[in-house]
Amino acid sequence: KTNNFTFDPGFTSTASCESKITYIDGDEGVLLYRGYPIDQLAETGKFLETGYLLLYGELPTKAQFDDFSKRIAYHTMVHEQMSQFFTGFRRDAHPMAVMVGVVGALSAFYHDSTDIRDPEQREMASIRMIAKMPTIAAMAYKYSIGQPFIYPQNHLDYSANFLNMCFAVPCEPYKVDPVLSRAMDRIFILHADHEQNASTSTVRLAGSSGANPFACISAGIACLWGPAHGGANEAALTMLQRIGTVDRIPEFIARAKDKNDPFRLMGFGHRVYKNYDPRAKIMQKTCHEVLEAVGHGDDPTLKVALELEHIALNDDYFIEKKLYPNIDFYSGITLRALGFPTEMFTVLFAIARTVGWIAQWKEMIEDPYQRIGRPRQLYTGPTERSYVAMDERG
Ligand code: SDX
């Protein structure tokens, strides 16, 4: 399922791009990472296994996986001075605002991984970025709740390490629940890449000028934050909580259909999927597993979500507009059950998507035809006219 069209370099730099990384069939609801179906990767793989696949194009052997995991673990710490950045933020700053600032600041620390023409430095920047995202995200969370930062533990795998940095405290032992850690891995896999979505296109466009890779990822985080994109997981849970009970669903369905009402069903609809987002099915299953594991199997918000989905999927408006649940519809309920506050939901999305952003950035930089991105426009402004002195204007 690839397009064997001849390659026009000029085409890349203006409108769209060619990529070997992720394939989406929006009508069929198909998502493949390097040809592997998302449900197979989510069910069987670990996040770093999928990360290796997205970065290098093939599933790793055991030796390759162990080496990659060790290289990532080795770089999970951040420069000790970076912790001073946090004290400049208000405690109640949105963690995505903190992530934009602190991730961008990595470009001020790592000068040996910014000559992107050098493959070694590109690889170094890639490993460092994937390794440090969870650490910075956990620091942003700890700072927001006034708890001390917890250092990474190299004996823990990627997701277990992240949960430990978020939820451990120095004064008592903390044991990562393997069910929750596996669920975290699966959630990261689901969010890892998604072709040329808005934030990935932002990273590619910023990177096409040769900008520092850490600064490009910071630009991607800024774009992902929007409620129409990665911010929808936070907005979807807020919406479900506002609906509150099943009997209020018709009122919100009516509002979503009312053209004069700006209300949208958060977690529904998609620029590409005109069928069920394959990630949403897996997220719903993970949601049930996590809620059971934490003893909230009867979570009333999940009941509202399931009934809302059922009603919407049988409503002519949503059927005609081809609106289905997307990845964000069930993720908020799941992440809250994992112990995260709503403002951290998009941060978790950013941790996972960093692997996709880096894979797409590398593919773009390593493309021999690559030139600076320069989208063109359809000019609809005034035709040429002459200047009129201010005292002659009416
Ligand atoms: C992500 O691009 C990616 O791949 C993104 C992502 C990724 O992994 O990177 O998948 C992650 O961003 C998922 C999307 C998360 N956003 C939300 O859940 C926010 C709610 N969804 C909507 O804002 C909306 O569906 C968008 C922004 C996602 C898509 O908007 P579009 O392109 O306008 O959707 P469309 O063209 O399919 O809309 C068709 C019609 C329109 O009405 P008409 O102009 O035809 O009258 O359906 C309406 C839309 O107004 N519509 C909705 C709706 N989404 C679209 N009506 C009610 N509720 C909705 N959620």
Side-chain angles (χ1 to χ4, degrees), residues 160-323:
N161 190 28
F162 174 61
L163 293 173
N164 187 65
M165 290 190 287
C166 288
F167 300 124
V169 286
C171 34
E172 56 185 53
Y174 176 78
K175 191 169 172 344
V176 179
D177 179 332
V179 173
L180 302 187
S181 169
R182 246 195 332 276
M184 190 79 261
D185 250 6
R186 197 181 305 148
I187 292 165
F188 282 157
I189 290 171
L190 295 177
H191 288 83
D193 193 54
H194 211 237
E195 202 221 67
Q196 304 311 315
N197 58 84
S199 53
T200 298
S201 302
T202 300
V203 171
R204 275 182 170 257
L205 196 55
S208 71
S209 72
N212 179 290
F214 300 112
C216 296
I217 297 299
S218 172
I221 295 171
C223 177
L224 185 72
W225 190 5
H229 189 11
N233 51 21
E234 187 177 340
L237 181 65
T238 306
M239 173 192 76
L240 292 169
Q241 289 168 321
R242 262 180 67 201
I243 295 173
T245 53
V246 170
D247 60 318
R248 290 197 63 205
I249 291 175
E251 168 197 338
F252 284 84
I253 292 271
R255 288 190 57 194
K257 291 154 67 170
D258 177 356
K259 278 295 150 219
N260 301 318
D261 188 332
F263 174 75
R264 285 275 178 282
L265 280 189
M266 288 295 133
F268 256 79
H270 199 273
R271 291 299 277 136
V272 177
Y273 288 123
K274 301 309 168 191
N275 199 322
Y276 209 106
D277 181 338
R279 303 169 298 177
K281 281 197 185 87
I282 303 165
M283 184 57 82
Q284 188 194 105
K285 183 166 165 271
T286 307
C287 186
H288 283 290
E289 282 171 17
V290 170
L291 286 173
E292 286 302 325
V294 298
H296 294 169
D298 57 352
D299 185 318
T301 314
L302 179 60
K303 283 201 182 76
V304 171
L306 290 168
E307 182 60 16
L308 173 56
E309 174 186 331
H310 174 72
I311 294 173
L313 293 187
N314 292 286
D315 180 292
D316 292 343
Y317 173 89
F318 292 92
I319 294 169
E320 183 221 321
K321 304 276 184 192
K322 298 183 178 174
L323 301 176

Side-chain angles (χ1 to χ4, degrees), residues 4-155:
N4 297 316
F5 58 87
T6 48
F7 195 63
D8 162 15
F11 178 72
T12 312
S13 64
T14 49
S16 181
C17 74
E18 182 182 277
S19 173
K20 296 179 174 55
I21 299 173
T22 293
Y23 174 78
I24 300 174
D25 182 331
D27 293 326
E28 298 300 319
V30 170
L31 172 57
L32 308 177
Y33 286 167
R34 300 281 190 179
Y36 293 97
I38 187 69
D39 55 326
Q40 294 178 25
L41 293 169
E43 283 311 303
T44 54
K46 293 186 78 63
F47 176 59
L48 284 188
E49 183 182 22
T50 291
Y52 185 99
L53 171 68
L54 288 169
L55 279 175
Y56 305 114
E58 296 298 335
L59 285 169
T61 61
K62 176 86 173 58
Q64 288 168 331
F65 176 73
D66 291 346
D67 170 62
F68 183 64
S69 303
K70 271 200 202 84
R71 283 191 295 145
I72 294 285
Y74 183 79
H75 288 284
T76 47
M77 275 178 65
V78 292
H79 193 294
E80 193 63 14
Q81 276 174 233
M82 287 201 79
S83 46
Q84 289 161 37
F85 279 117
F86 290 86
T87 50
F89 293 109
R90 289 169 42 144
R91 290 279 179 184
D92 63 351
H94 194 291
M96 283 298 276
V98 174
M99 293 298 288
V100 169
V102 177
V103 169
L106 284 172
S107 48
F109 279 87
Y110 296 106
H111 300 292
D112 67 347
S113 52
T114 51
D115 175 359
I116 56 169
R117 292 179 308 277
D118 174 349
E120 295 263 303
Q121 294 204 23
R122 276 203 302 274
E123 180 70 7
M124 204 58 250
S126 304
I127 294 294
R128 279 186 163 134
M129 194 66 259
I130 294 166
K132 297 181 193 307
M133 271 301 270
T135 309
I136 295 170
M139 291 170 83
Y141 172 57
K142 283 302 201 186
Y143 182 75
S144 73
I145 57 175
Q147 286 188 0
F149 299 142
I150 297 294
Y151 284 98
Q153 296 293 318
N154 288 356
H155 70 278

